[in-house]
Amino acid sequence: MIRSEETDVLIVGGGPVGLALSLDLTYRGVRHVMIDAGDGVVRHPKVSTVGPRSMEHFRRWGVADRIRAAGWPLDHPLDIAWVTRVGEHEIYRFERGTAADRPVFRHTPEPDQVCPAHLLNPVLADAVGVHPEGPARYRCRLEHFRQDADGVRATISSGGEEHVVSARYLVACDGSSSPVRKALGIEAPARHETQVFRNVLFRAPDLPARLAERGHRTALVYFLMHSPSLRYPLRSLDGRGLYNLVVDGRSGQDTMALIRSAIACDVPVEPVSDGAWHLTHRVADRYRAGRVFLAGDAAHTLPPSGGFGMNTGIGDAADLGWKLAAAVAGWAGDGLLDTYETERRPVAIDSLDAAGENLRRTLDRDLPADLAADTEQGVALRAEMAGRLAKGGARDEFDAPGVHFGFHYRSPIVVADGPVEPAPRWRPGSDPGSRAAHAWVRAGVSTLDLFGRGFTLLCFAGSPVLATFGETFDERGVPYEPVFVDDPEIAKLYGRPFVLVRPDGHVAWRGHDLESGPAGLADVVRGAA
């Protein structure tokens, strides 16, 4: 007899996005199971920077400090350097300090953090809990599934045995080749031609010391400007000697030759792996089919330039999690779950375009033959290149607050109070659909810490109908809490006496008073209008 079990949400895929969704559902008290066909060990880490908006989500889920303590050295420079070869000629440097001494960020309590997947995933899995203590189950494969109006019935295999999981919803976080997406018949057409690259992972623990002997400073990322195949990043993954070198996939050089070509210092190196990968630019046509949803790389694959891919997926989890919780709890309107695609798909497209621009800058950059020459002409060429890098947006790949913070959700559950005009630069505030701005309420407590469990009404003034306003949410079972903020600077930042913030920290509505149709507002923001 096949064993069976029931849960509310089945997550397929245990990478950072699946784990993030598991964290959010745990935070909201939603029963769920997360399965992954692998053993949870990351053997070739690629992603290494967790963006500031993702770190804000991790702050809400209680793991931000653990991510910061996962292993990246506090004193390792976070600089980005453009070089002919590592240890040869440095052309331009974007100085960003270290995790210990960089300037305080005004607009977020959680700046970005270097934490490659082989460090990040264990932190998240430990926070989630591995079966039987928690919902995460490794070496479990989804064999097939079917859905009807009441739920999803999935057959899972583990250890040579099969069992059935019946869930109300299924979320596919199963990667760019997503078997779930394919089973649903959802297309993810390529937006640009697929390119092939190689990731060369190697250890060189003596490299920082050898660079210091030659008068060179270390960096987080070195952009090579050596040849058509060596014009991509060489990145420190752990700050302790583990590096990843990206190479044009058409290069026929062997692993050691590539590493030696990238590094000018005579330093011992230990190759770890060398694997080809395909760079695709895809966004799924749909994010939902009935009771099944796509998230992370299953929904979109972005160029790595800028590090937006994983962070876009974590944003998916933060958006979808509270909506699934609302549906499970019974207070979601019929239209709430549809807004996941409405809100997140445009973000993926914009992030893909931004990453594509970053990649295009690297691909289109002319590399003069004598750029590395120890001649007057070489010196002049490097000075000219430095000027072009400074003026040509080279920093934008690593300083992109508009991508991380600046997106606005335009959906039926957001009450706009005027046309949203594209701004030349992101600015924090309380525009409906945007991330509610960070400000320090008191020492160690951000406005962002006030949001999360349900809808939060920030009140910068009193109102005679405040109790009635809250009753409209209570009558519908919608979690709601008014919070009074007596701080004129925060009131000025938010721009309205009343701002209603969703469980994911985005603004649902703002206004000058509470008298106008609170019942209608409560229905709109829960997708029941």
Side-chain angles (χ1 to χ4, degrees):
M1 183 175 179
I2 297 180
R3 181 169 60 90
S4 64
E5 63 179 305
E6 293 184 356
T7 191
D8 289 319
V9 179
L10 173 61
I11 303 169
V12 180
V17 176
L19 288 164
L21 180 57
S22 181
L23 282 169
D24 192 71
L25 296 178
T26 299
Y27 172 78
R28 302 186 189 285
V30 177
R31 291 186 310 156
H32 68 283
V33 171
M34 188 203 80
I35 63 170
D36 191 272
D39 60 6
V41 178
V42 178
R43 292 174 173 80
H44 192 134
K46 302 172 188 176
V47 179
S48 64
T49 299
V50 183
R53 184 56 177 151
S54 295
M55 287 301 297
E56 291 177 353
H57 294 314
F58 286 130
R59 178 188 181 95
R60 180 168 68 248
W61 301 326
V63 295
D65 289 343
R66 280 186 263 180
I67 291 172
R68 296 197 188 280
W72 179 260
L74 291 175
D75 60 351
H76 192 289
L78 302 173
D79 297 354
I80 317 299
W82 284 258
V83 299
T84 54
R85 299 165 71 199
V86 177
E88 195 176 59
H89 297 293
E90 182 174 308
I91 298 171
Y92 180 69
R93 178 175 286 253
F94 176 20
E95 296 188 3
R96 303 178 69 228
T98 69
D101 67 10
R102 60 183 169 180
V104 175
F105 284 62
R106 289 181 54 204
H107 300 310
T108 179
E110 297 289 349
D112 61 305
Q113 175 64 34
V114 179
C115 190
H118 71 295
L119 300 178
L120 176 64
N121 287 22
V123 169
L124 303 185
D126 181 68
V128 164
V130 177
H131 184 74
E133 285 76 24
R137 304 181 188 181
Y138 294 98
R139 297 187 178 90
C140 289
R141 183 183 303 277
L142 175 67
E143 297 296 340
H144 51 84
F145 68 93
R146 60 181 175 82
Q147 62 171 316
D148 56 29
D150 298 318
V152 181
R153 183 179 173 88
T155 299
I156 310 298
S157 65
S158 178
E161 297 183 355
E162 291 189 348
H163 74 279
V164 173
V165 176
S166 296
R168 296 177 64 176
Y169 302 99
L170 185 153
V171 183
C173 305
D174 53 345
S176 57
S177 61
S178 180
V180 172
R181 186 187 68 230
K182 293 175 181 176
L184 294 170
I186 296 177
E187 298 292 329
R191 291 172 171 258
H192 301 282
E193 183 180 352
T194 298
Q195 297 166 275
V196 181
F197 292 90
R198 288 164 64 185
N199 272 340
V200 178
L201 192 69
F202 66 95
R203 298 187 189 280
D206 297 335
L207 180 58
R210 197 62 52 88
L211 289 172
E213 291 172 3
R214 298 165 67 106
H216 293 270
R217 292 178 291 167
T218 56
L220 168 62
V221 179
Y222 299 94
F223 265 92
L224 300 173
M225 309 188 81
H226 180 68
S227 68
S229 59
L230 285 174
R231 63 187 305 146
Y232 304 104
L234 187 157
R235 185 174 190 128
S236 174
L237 286 181
D238 63 358
R240 291 178 166 81
L242 182 65
Y243 296 90
N244 187 74
L245 170 65
V246 179
V247 183
D248 190 306
R250 295 166 294 184
S251 172
Q253 283 186 286
D254 65 35
T255 302
M256 281 300 295
L258 285 168
I259 297 171
R260 292 301 182 196
S261 296
I263 301 176
C265 309
D266 183 14
V267 61
V269 298
E270 175 195 349
V272 176
S273 63
D274 182 349
W277 58 280
H278 293 80
L279 172 60
T280 59
H281 310 68
R282 299 176 183 272
V283 178
D285 289 340
R286 292 180 289 136
Y287 278 25
R288 179 187 186 185
R291 291 179 170 269
V292 182
F293 299 83
L294 308 179
D297 283 357
H300 45 73
T301 54
L302 280 56
S305 305
F308 306 141
M310 179 190 72
N311 293 294
T312 303
I314 291 171
D316 295 344
D319 185 279
L320 182 57
W322 75 270
K323 295 171 181 177
L324 288 172
V328 169
W331 56 265
D334 291 342
L336 183 63
L337 290 175
D338 283 335
T339 66
Y340 166 61
E341 176 184 321
T342 306
E343 294 184 342
R344 292 304 302 172
R345 191 170 180 275
V347 174
I349 293 171
D350 289 346
S351 298
L352 184 150
D353 290 343
E357 289 179 15
N358 292 333
L359 178 62
R360 196 76 257 161
R361 273 195 297 269
T362 298
L363 292 173
D364 291 347
R365 196 168 286 135
D366 180 50
L367 300 181
D370 293 330
L371 188 64
D374 291 317
T375 62
E376 289 187 5
Q377 183 183 14
V379 172
L381 286 171
R382 290 191 291 276
E384 180 187 356
M385 180 64 74
R388 286 164 54 191
L389 289 168
K391 296 177 182 177
R395 294 182 173 212
D396 293 351
E397 184 168 338
F398 305 95
D399 184 19
V403 176
H404 291 289
F405 298 126
F407 52 88
H408 285 69
Y409 292 148
R410 298 171 177 86
S411 80
I413 61 170
V414 172
V415 183
D417 59 1
V420 179
E421 299 294 339
R425 290 186 64 84
W426 166 77
R427 59 174 180 78
S430 68
D431 293 340
S434 70
R435 159 193 172 271
H438 154 71
W440 292 112
V441 179
R442 55 183 181 275
V445 178
S446 165
T447 48
L448 306 191
D449 300 328
L450 306 177
F451 317 136
R453 297 292 180 185
F455 284 86
T456 302
L457 181 67
L458 291 182
C459 303
F460 300 99
S463 170
V465 298
L466 181 60
T468 303
F469 188 90
E471 288 171 3
T472 62
F473 284 82
D474 294 339
E475 290 167 359
R476 290 157 176 78
V478 180
Y480 159 87
E481 181 182 11
V483 175
F484 291 88
V485 179
D486 185 16
D487 186 312
E489 290 301 314
I490 299 178
K492 180 179 178 181
L493 174 65
Y494 272 76
R496 297 290 190 280
F498 303 99
V499 179
L500 184 67
V501 182
R502 310 185 329 182
D504 62 350
H506 280 255
V507 176
W509 167 88
R510 64 180 180 179
H512 293 283
D513 60 63
L514 301 178
E515 281 78 5
S516 302
L521 176 61
D523 284 336
V524 166
V525 300
R526 68 186 183 95

